[in-house]
């Protein structure tokens, strides 16, 4: 029997993720959105690509969660984008409400599922989904690091004119501006990047990766990135469904690792059939630990705003 994956949010990121997973062929997909007929239309269009791409997997769209029942993995991309005039906290609290409501439904119909949260602001939304779900931490985590490293790896491969396959990179901390690249652990064919590029060039590429989301937004004029995000989500979904035990960066709820307790931040993890099977702790330099602490502090600020809003009802 095929696995079952539900993708909540049939916008750019959600629909592209559903398409990629359907194309792999080993999971049936349910695409959920609040907009009437939208997920149904997109899902039917994807289903009709099956004979051409040789996928027998099912894909359906829905405005409710009944069809999602018993999912192995649920990807949450539902949310709104920041609109002109909207403060960072307005966006935070709007997407908090959306992801809380979505999580409640997901948990009701798939109490044993593994949730991958993608809605921004990422780390705060992972925290919200984790707390709203009541699940153990191995079954709720977020996608950010795979995307941030994919951007960094792309720029390194371009700069050195080498295969992207040979570039390995690691990032810690929050998504985007807050990311902490671990340059020491960045290698090209196993060779430390510092042997191939000088410091200034490395810093230039780090900065471009950090601003990677903004670079795409500026080019698209409306909306934000979705091809690389959906590819990154799909890699994480596959690691779980195929029990691949991949070592990837993900946003995880920390319980003392890296000196951080009770907060979701990006760290290297092992992803397999059990979801987030292990948080990998590596030794950090003082500078790296300080950057991670700064990143965690900015996630904590958002979490505090959410807690206050919840307490005030
Ligand atoms: N339940 C289900 N779907 C919802 C809900 C809800 N309560 N609220 C909003 N949505 C849907 C919207 O109808 C829309 O189709 O979420 C979708 C979001 O899609 P887009 O606006 O196209 O956003 P997208 O580019 O897909 O990004 C989604 O992922 O990377 C992050 O920052 C990004 O937070 C954003 C999310």
């Amino acid at each position: 029997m095929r696995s079952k994956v539900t993708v909540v949010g049939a916008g750019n990121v959600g629909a592209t993720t559903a398409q990629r997973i359907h194309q792999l062929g080993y999971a049936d997909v349910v695409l959920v959105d609040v907009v009437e007929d939208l997920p149904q239309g997109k899902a039917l269009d994807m289903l009709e690509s099956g004979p051409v791409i040789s996928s027998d997997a099912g894909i359906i769209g829905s405005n409710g969660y009944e069809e999602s029942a018993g999912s192995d993995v649920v990807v949450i991309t539902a949310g709104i984008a920041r609109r002109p005039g909207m403060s960072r906290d307005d966006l935070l609290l709007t997407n908090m409400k959306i992801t809380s409501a979505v999580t409640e439904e997901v948990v009701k119909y798939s109490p044993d599922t593994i949730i991958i949260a993608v809605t921004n602001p990422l780390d705060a939304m992972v925290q919200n989904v984790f707390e709203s779900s009541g699940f153990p931490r191995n079954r709720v985590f977020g996608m950010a690091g795979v995307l941030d490293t994919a951007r960094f790896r792309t720029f390194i491969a371009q700069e050195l004119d080498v295969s992207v396959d040979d570039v390995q990179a690691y990032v810690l901390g929050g998504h985007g501006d807050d990311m902490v690249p671990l340059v020491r652990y960045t290698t090209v064919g196993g060779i430390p990047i510092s042997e191939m590029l000088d410091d200034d060039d490395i810093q230039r590429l780090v900065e471009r990766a950090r601003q990677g989301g903004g670079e795409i937004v500026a080019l698209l004029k409306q909306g934000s990135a979705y091809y690389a995000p959906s590819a990154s989500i799909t890699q994480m979904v596959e690691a779980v469904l195929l029990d691949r035990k991949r070592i990837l960066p993900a946003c995880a709820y920390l319980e003392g690792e890296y000196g951080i307790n009770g907060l979701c931040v990006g760290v290297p993890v092992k992803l397999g059939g059990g979801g987030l099977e292990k948080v990998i702790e590596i030794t950090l330099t003082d500078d790296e630990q300080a950057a991670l602490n700064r990143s965690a502090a900015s996630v904590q600020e958002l979490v505090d705003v959410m807690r206050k809003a919840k307490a005030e009802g």
Side-chain angles (χ1 to χ4, degrees):
M1 210 169 87
R2 263 188 289 272
S3 304
K4 182 165 177 179
V5 176
T6 291
V7 180
V8 186
N12 283 336
V13 175
T16 317
T17 301
Q19 183 195 2
R20 290 184 188 279
I21 295 170
H22 170 252
Q23 182 145 14
L24 290 172
Y26 49 70
D28 292 327
V29 181
V30 181
L31 186 59
V32 178
D33 201 287
V34 281
V35 179
E36 210 174 308
D37 291 341
L38 176 79
Q40 291 88 341
K42 290 193 178 184
L44 181 60
D45 193 9
M46 288 182 220
L47 184 73
E48 290 165 358
S49 67
V52 186
I53 62 173
S54 188
S55 172
D56 291 313
I59 177 161
I60 53 164
S62 176
N63 300 118
Y65 288 78
E66 290 86 347
E67 289 88 344
S68 77
S71 291
D72 297 288
V73 175
V74 175
V75 177
I76 300 180
T77 77
I80 60 153
R82 191 159 162 181
R83 302 195 181 109
M86 194 178 208
S87 75
R88 192 185 67 154
D89 286 359
D90 286 344
L91 175 76
L92 173 76
L93 296 179
T94 302
N95 282 350
M96 176 190 85
K97 285 184 196 131
I98 291 173
T99 53
S100 297
V102 166
T103 304
E104 194 180 314
E105 293 294 314
V106 165
V107 168
K108 188 156 100 192
Y109 288 96
S110 301
D112 300 319
T113 197
I114 288 168
I115 302 178
I116 304 178
V118 181
T119 307
N120 273 317
L122 190 274
D123 307 270
M125 290 305 111
V126 177
Q127 183 97 19
N128 184 48
V129 171
F130 170 70
E131 289 178 2
S132 307
S133 70
F135 283 3
R137 75 162 178 179
N138 65 301
R139 292 203 282 123
V140 183
F141 43 91
M143 189 293 291
V146 174
L147 172 61
D148 289 326
T149 45
R151 288 181 171 142
F152 192 32
R153 291 169 65 194
T154 303
F155 304 145
I156 293 169
Q158 259 186 346
E159 184 85 7
L160 294 172
D161 191 23
V162 299
S163 166
V164 289
D165 275 352
D166 292 327
V167 182
Q168 285 294 328
Y170 256 97
V171 298
L172 286 175
H175 182 36
D177 293 357
D178 282 335
M179 82 177 207
V180 181
L182 292 182
V183 174
R184 280 185 307 133
Y185 291 103
T186 300
T187 58
V188 178
I191 302 161
I193 183 88
S194 53
E195 300 282 330
M196 319 271 283
L197 288 170
D198 63 32
D199 275 0
D200 287 351
D201 286 330
I202 295 171
Q203 278 319 309
R204 178 170 49 79
L205 302 182
V206 163
E207 214 33 56
R208 189 171 173 201
R210 202 173 256 148
Q211 307 293 333
E215 185 177 1
I216 304 279
V217 167
L219 290 167
L220 293 180
K221 310 289 188 284
Q222 51 183 354
S224 49
Y226 53 102
Y227 293 111
S230 58
S232 305
I233 298 163
T234 304
Q235 184 179 58
M236 295 174 78
V237 170
E238 185 181 85
V240 173
L241 295 183
L242 302 187
D243 189 24
R244 293 202 63 192
K245 316 278 190 209
R246 297 291 311 264
I247 306 297
L248 297 169
C251 177
Y253 181 79
L254 298 186
E255 294 168 333
E257 295 92 349
Y258 295 96
I260 297 168
N261 202 5
L263 197 66
C264 292
V265 268
V267 289
V269 303
K270 179 160 83 173
L271 287 189
L276 192 155
E277 296 182 354
K278 191 175 175 20
V279 170
I280 314 263
E281 267 196 282
I282 51 178
T283 313
L284 299 182
T285 63
D286 290 348
D287 283 353
E288 288 163 351
Q289 183 69 50
L292 179 61
N293 291 349
R294 276 196 301 277
S295 193
S298 57
V299 178
Q300 185 68 56
E301 264 178 46
L302 300 183
V303 170
D304 290 344
V305 172
M306 292 197 299
R307 291 232 164 96
K308 187 160 172 274
K310 281 181 187 171
E312 287 167 359

